Amino acid sequence: MKGIEKKLRGALRYEVMGVQPEALLNECALAGIGFFALETEDAYTLRLCVPEDEQARFEALAPACRCELRLLGREGG
């Protein structure tokens, strides 16, 4: 059921690059921004999906965590 909900809601796939990309994950948790499909490329690169309606909040957190974001694609929605 959750897979259907994600497809209807829409999600954005991001690549997160930085010295400590996990800092962005911590800030997302503190801000109540959910993420899923987390993949670790290496110590400096993560890939994850964020609900489309959280795009602005997610992107606003990245500079404070000294991370760069690259939008890889959209799913559902």
Side-chain angles (χ1 to χ4, degrees), residues 3-76:
I4 294 170
E5 180 184 324
K6 288 176 191 172
K7 287 184 180 185
L8 291 174
R9 188 173 179 194
L12 302 169
R13 183 98 178 129
Y14 282 98
E15 184 171 72
V16 179
M17 299 157 288
V19 176
Q20 292 182 309
E22 66 277 5
L24 182 58
L25 302 180
N26 293 335
E27 288 301 316
C28 285
L30 290 172
I33 299 172
F35 55 88
F36 55 96
L38 178 64
E39 298 174 1
T40 304
E41 177 70 25
D42 56 39
Y44 307 106
T45 309
L46 303 173
R47 291 189 185 94
L48 55 88
C49 288
V50 176
E52 198 165 0
D53 58 348
E54 296 286 7
Q55 179 178 11
R57 291 180 56 207
F58 178 73
E59 290 180 357
L61 291 176
C65 298
R66 289 181 251 139
C67 291
E68 293 180 30
L69 300 177
R70 185 168 66 144
L71 183 61
L72 300 176
R74 296 180 188 274
E75 301 174 3

